[in-house]
Amino acid sequence: MAPTSKADKKAADAAAWMFNVVTSVGIIIVNKALMATYGFSFATTLTGLHFATTTLMTVVLRWLGYIQPSHLPLSELLKFMIFANFSIVGMNVSLMWNSVGFYQIAKLSMIPVSCLLEVVLDKIRYSRDTKLSIGVVLLGVGVCTVTDVSVNAKGFIAAFIAVWSTSLQQYYVHFLQRKYSLGSFSLLGHTAPAQAGSLLLLGPFLDYWLTSKRVDAYDYNFTSLMFIFLSCTIAVGTNLSQFICIGRFTAVSFQVLGHMKTILVLIMGFFFFGKEGLNLHVVLGMIIAVVGMIWYGNASSKPGGKERWSHALPTSRQQKHIGFPESTEHDGKV
């Protein structure tokens, strides 16, 4: 039974990653078309619509009995909402105030920040190979995405807020699922309504500040509405798959292997939007990044590759620790 169980777990892990990659790449392409072709530049409001659609999905699933009643303290929900909303706003503002190159560097810095959070808060210890493989991934993605780099004071502050809030939000997804024994659907059922309400309330004002355009004055037509609907539909899968992947693995693994999406977006961009950016420099970066991801997967799954060296987090399901060493929670997670 053990080999079968291990094979089933690997298949489920692969399916979770594939689900996240497909939905993430899909929503990037749809949003690019929506914003670049149809001029819908209201990113924060659109994210609010994404969470509103996700909320509707969780309500239907709860009504059908697929989501069981669960409890999440209001204080935890508020902290998560603050991290998540600062992440969304911070990334949008950082992209506006910084060069594309510095924006990409800021996104790459989420990996070492997530590592720091796991080391400090969860007492995680990384092996030398795991650390080196993360460095190779950072190098590869940096080579193929970072071009012009310029920074200013307000852009640096926006990037700093975006990096830390995003890292904290992703860490908190894993933390809440473990501490309160929440499944991905259950956690989304708690967080999506709060994020939808806050972003739909503040989004139009923030978008007006960023773009000097009013979302209610946008020239809506059938095609743009179809793209908005498609974006919201795919976003349900993106939000769910993010929670599934971080819950099954960790925020660091989600960040490291998540850069496969960056490479796929670049490749698909060359096919759909022209090949002027395809050169030896970019291809070399992609190859380095993929090698680093494969190395990370192997290194972090080995005994001692990534393990907890002290008890750091209480959980309501104490029985899961009986008969198993604490480090096994991370052994095999890639």
Side-chain angles (χ1 to χ4, degrees):
M1 290 297 293
T4 304
S5 298
K6 190 173 182 179
D8 289 344
K9 181 182 182 301
K10 286 187 175 181
D13 291 347
W17 278 117
M18 186 59 64
F19 184 29
N20 181 255
V21 168
V22 170
T23 54
S24 298
V25 173
I27 200 170
I28 289 172
I29 293 174
V30 170
N31 286 352
K32 182 178 178 65
L34 178 61
M35 294 181 180
T37 305
Y38 297 99
F40 190 86
S41 56
F42 312 102
T44 311
T45 304
L46 182 61
T47 306
L49 292 173
H50 290 169
F51 281 106
T53 309
T54 303
T55 299
L56 179 62
M57 182 268 297
T58 60
V59 170
V60 172
L61 290 177
R62 184 176 288 112
W63 178 66
L64 293 174
Y66 289 104
I67 299 180
Q68 301 302 317
S70 58
H71 173 68
L72 182 65
L74 180 61
S75 59
E76 301 280 33
L77 177 60
L78 290 176
K79 282 189 285 187
F80 179 89
M81 187 176 69
I82 290 172
F83 295 149
N85 287 356
F86 266 99
S87 168
I88 293 166
V89 174
M91 294 303 291
N92 289 340
V93 175
S94 176
L95 182 59
M96 182 182 73
W97 285 350
N98 292 311
S99 66
V100 174
F102 186 76
Y103 175 79
Q104 291 293 343
I105 290 176
K107 288 181 66 177
L108 289 175
S109 68
M110 291 178 193
I111 293 179
V113 170
S114 296
C115 289
L116 178 63
L117 290 174
E118 288 192 356
V119 169
V120 173
L121 300 178
D122 279 353
K123 310 302 181 186
I124 296 296
R125 181 170 55 193
Y126 296 91
S127 69
R128 182 176 65 91
D129 281 358
T130 303
K131 295 174 185 176
L132 289 175
S133 66
I134 291 174
V136 171
V137 172
L138 292 172
L139 174 64
V141 177
V143 166
C144 65
T145 60
V146 176
T147 52
D148 61 308
V149 178
S150 61
V151 62
N152 54 74
K154 65 179 184 178
F156 178 82
I157 293 172
F160 182 86
I161 293 173
V163 167
W164 277 93
S165 58
T166 301
S167 300
L168 284 166
Q169 183 259 342
Q170 292 183 354
Y171 170 84
Y172 224 56
V173 169
H174 192 69
F175 172 87
L176 292 176
Q177 289 193 45
R178 285 187 297 151
K179 183 175 182 179
Y180 296 102
S181 303
L182 296 172
S184 302
F185 285 104
S186 297
L187 185 56
L188 264 180
H190 290 290
T191 60
Q195 284 189 262
S198 57
L199 290 174
L200 289 177
L201 181 64
L202 299 176
F205 300 100
L206 180 64
D207 288 332
Y208 180 75
W209 176 57
L210 293 174
T211 66
S212 299
K213 298 177 182 177
R214 289 171 44 181
V215 66
D216 61 311
Y218 175 75
D219 184 21
Y220 295 93
N221 55 57
F222 177 78
T223 307
S224 63
L225 288 174
M226 285 299 297
F227 269 94
I228 292 173
F229 175 79
L230 182 60
S231 177
C232 291
T233 302
I234 298 175
V236 173
T238 305
N239 291 332
L240 177 60
S241 63
Q242 181 192 43
F243 278 36
I244 291 174
C245 287
I246 296 177
R248 294 184 69 90
F249 313 104
T250 63
V252 172
S253 295
F254 181 76
Q255 282 284 347
V256 172
L257 298 183
H259 279 296
M260 178 59 73
K261 294 176 286 189
T262 303
I263 295 173
L264 288 175
V265 169
L266 286 173
I267 293 173
M268 295 185 74
F270 298 143
F271 283 109
F272 290 106
F273 303 107
K275 300 183 180 181
E276 64 275 4
L278 183 59
N279 53 53
L280 182 62
H281 180 266
V282 174
V283 172
L284 177 62
M286 291 180 180
I287 294 173
I288 294 173
V290 171
V291 169
M293 291 174 197
I294 296 172
W295 187 11
Y296 174 83
N298 291 329
S300 63
S301 64
K302 292 179 180 178
K306 183 180 178 183
E307 62 184 5
R308 180 179 291 117
W309 52 269
S310 69
H311 295 274
L313 179 67
T315 174
S316 59
R317 292 192 299 185
Q318 295 297 327
Q319 65 270 20
K320 78 175 185 177
H321 297 299
I322 298 176
F324 295 92
E326 185 68 20
S327 63
T328 59
E329 180 172 331
H330 292 284
D331 291 347
K333 290 184 177 180
V334 293

